[in-house]
């Protein structure tokens, strides 16, 4: 006998593939149960409906990805290196192929199912910004940077490091940047944020 947690993992895996291939609206709970190898009765016992399953699936996947995002302040590195590493962690999450695929599906289905977008934002996008704001707040306390509104700054930074490549992939059909490209982008964004881009006076 499988535990409920193990069964949920199997359902999440089946749901990810089904939603990615067929879309949210076209995927029935019966199809999800069949793909997971369980009865619809078991599926409904674990999840009240398809919307609850989608929310739980997103939360589970993003939780796993977020657990790998280390934004702990490291006193052994300078602020430029630390900010570059923090932005790289956020960009790696935002530009993960599975996260981008989920975002593409949410955008396609959001008009008919507005709760999908709200849940994706709550479970993913906002949590990444909160984590980065916490890192920025720690740097402010150490007097390494001065920011009036760390939450606003976190949103600006994530937009700068990840939004353009995301849009290019979702709307323009462009490939996602390579790991090397993401690293370079994170370093550039950190430098622009910390130093600006006006030429220094001689």
């Amino acid at each position: 006998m499988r535990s409920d947690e193990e069964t949920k993992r199997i359902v999440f895996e089946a749901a990810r593939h089904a939603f990615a291939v067929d879309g949210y609206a076209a995927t029935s709970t019966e199809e999800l149960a069949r793909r997971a190898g369980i009865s619809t009765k078991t599926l409904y016992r674990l999840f009240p409906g398809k919307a609850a399953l989608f929310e739980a699936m997103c939360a589970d996947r993003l939780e796993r990805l977020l657990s790998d995002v280390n934004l702990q302040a490291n006193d052994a590195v300078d602020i430029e290196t630390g900010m570059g590493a923090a932005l790289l962690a956020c960009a790696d999450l935002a530009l993960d192929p599975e996260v981008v695929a989920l975002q593409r599906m949410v955008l396609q289905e959001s008009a008919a199912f507005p709760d999908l977008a709200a849940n994706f934002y709550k479970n993913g996008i906002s949590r990444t910004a909160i984590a980065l704001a916490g890192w920025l707040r720690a740097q402010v306390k150490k007097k390494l940077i001065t920011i009036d509104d760390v939450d606003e700054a976190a949103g600006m930074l994530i937009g700068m490091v990840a939004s353009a490549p995301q849009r290019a992939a979702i709307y323009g059909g462009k490939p996602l940047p390579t790991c090397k490209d993401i690293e370079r982008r994170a370093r550039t964004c950190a430098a622009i944020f910390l130093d600006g881009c006006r030429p220094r006076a001689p």
Side-chain angles (χ1 to χ4, degrees):
M1 294 291 291
R2 283 195 303 255
S3 67
D4 281 354
E5 287 306 310
E6 187 180 355
T7 302
K8 285 180 180 180
R9 297 271 176 263
I10 294 170
V11 173
F12 289 153
E13 188 65 25
R16 273 197 293 273
H17 290 294
F19 289 147
V21 173
D22 301 324
Y24 180 84
T27 303
S28 67
T29 50
E30 290 77 12
E31 173 65 12
L32 290 171
R34 187 190 66 77
R35 286 183 181 231
I38 62 174
S39 67
T40 52
K41 182 179 178 181
T42 299
L43 184 67
Y44 281 117
R45 181 175 64 80
L46 296 173
F47 307 100
K50 188 167 66 169
L53 167 56
F54 179 82
E55 181 177 359
M57 180 200 73
C58 286
D60 175 76
R61 184 57 185 145
L62 292 167
E63 183 67 42
R64 289 170 179 270
L65 289 169
L66 282 165
S67 68
D68 294 331
V69 175
N70 182 11
L71 297 185
Q72 298 300 315
N74 185 346
D75 294 333
V77 301
D78 56 65
I79 185 64
E80 290 84 1
T81 303
M83 179 165 283
L87 291 182
L88 176 60
C90 292
D92 278 341
L93 174 63
L95 299 173
D96 179 86
E98 198 167 327
V99 172
V100 172
L102 279 173
Q103 188 167 347
R104 183 182 287 114
M105 188 194 70
V106 167
L107 288 169
Q108 290 170 344
E109 307 279 4
S110 61
F113 304 97
D115 286 347
L116 290 183
N119 289 331
F120 186 81
Y121 179 81
K122 178 184 72 175
N123 290 319
I125 297 170
S126 66
R127 290 179 62 191
T128 309
I130 289 168
L132 182 57
W135 185 90
L136 291 171
R137 195 170 285 110
Q139 312 313 308
V140 171
K141 286 183 179 177
K142 291 191 289 187
K143 301 188 185 304
L144 295 175
I145 54 176
T146 301
I147 303 174
D148 293 329
D149 188 335
V150 293
D151 296 303
E152 182 180 50
M156 290 176 177
L157 280 164
I158 291 174
M160 184 163 56
V161 77
S163 289
Q166 270 185 345
R167 289 195 300 268
I170 292 172
Y171 299 109
K174 304 291 185 183
L176 287 167
T178 65
C179 292
K180 188 174 181 180
D181 290 335
I182 295 174
E183 289 176 8
R184 178 188 55 76
R185 189 177 183 89
R187 287 195 303 269
T188 301
C189 290
I192 291 172
F193 184 81
L194 290 170
D195 301 325
C197 51
R198 289 181 181 175
R200 291 183 177 85

